[in-house]
Amino acid sequence: MEIKVVRDILEANEVIASQNSTLFAEKGIYVVNLMGSPGSGKTTLLERTISHLKDTERIAVIEGDIATSRDAERIAAHAIPTVQINTGAACHLDGNMVRGGLRELDLDRIDLLMVENVGNLVCPAEFKIGENDKVMIISVTEGDDKPLKYPLMFQVSSVLLLNKIDLLPYLNFDMERFQSDALKVNPRLTVMAISCKTGEGLDTWFSWIEERAGKKGS
Ligand code: MG
Ligand code: ZN
């Protein structure tokens, strides 16, 4: 019985997510669903990306958090349209929450919509929101064993950003094991090692998202 309820919820979500996706396609908006643990660097990555791309792309951000508007305030300080969704008890964003957030945005003036999901390595992976790509960020401090422990998130992502590589000298993080486990779980995954602090590796990420957003907008 419980399994059927879960399946119904996921199916209902798929319908709304595909409606969102149709709307994004009509408006020529490229949408990224950014997922990762609390503290993995999601908001900092968005800030870095906005600073780099805001002269060439019209960007908007939806911030998903259980509580507070702290991240939205950080993003809004960059003078781009920002919507905060507080999920209350829910530990992920779903299609319907994102649809609600879209009412606050002028979709005719957006090329790139970045959605920061709730900090969580589990259920954000199960709920589509109408995105073009899911992108996962994980920091080296979280340990190299995560691909095998949380495989679904790695499976559904197009890009895996391994953040805080400036801290590698202080940790027992086995980069080769991490990469090979991640690719075992998802052979199509593009892995990028970055540091949002030092900027290392970010050019690769900027090129990737610029290319995706550009294709969509044209
Ligand atoms: Mg954040
Ligand atoms: Zn959840």
Side-chain angles (χ1 to χ4, degrees), residues 75-141:
I75 298 297
H78 295 263
I80 62 154
T82 309
V83 178
Q84 177 75 57
I85 298 175
N86 281 140
T87 58
C91 44
H92 58 268
L93 289 175
D94 64 23
N96 197 40
M97 294 177 207
V98 169
R99 179 156 75 181
L102 296 179
R103 280 185 220 121
E104 315 282 316
L105 295 170
D106 181 353
L107 300 182
D108 291 318
R109 290 172 193 276
I110 300 170
D111 306 310
L112 169 61
L113 174 63
M114 298 191 285
V115 180
E116 180 180 336
N117 217 307
V118 179
N120 177 350
L121 277 185
V122 188
C123 43
E126 292 192 66
F127 289 83
K128 290 181 187 162
I129 57 170
E131 69 279 73
N132 296 96
D133 283 293
K134 290 188 168 77
V135 169
M136 175 183 182
I137 183 167
I138 186 168
S139 72
V140 293
T141 52

Side-chain angles (χ1 to χ4, degrees), residues 161-177:
L161 296 165
L162 179 63
N163 190 24
K164 306 189 191 177
I165 54 168
D166 52 297
L167 296 177
L168 281 172
Y170 311 101
L171 302 165
N172 292 317
F173 185 95
D174 186 336
M175 182 73 99
E176 274 179 28
R177 174 181 150 177

Side-chain angles (χ1 to χ4, degrees), residues 33-49:
N33 180 1
L34 180 63
M35 311 178 299
S37 302
S40 55
K42 296 182 295 302
T43 312
T44 307
L45 177 81
L46 290 183
E47 292 187 281
R48 286 286 205 157
T49 308

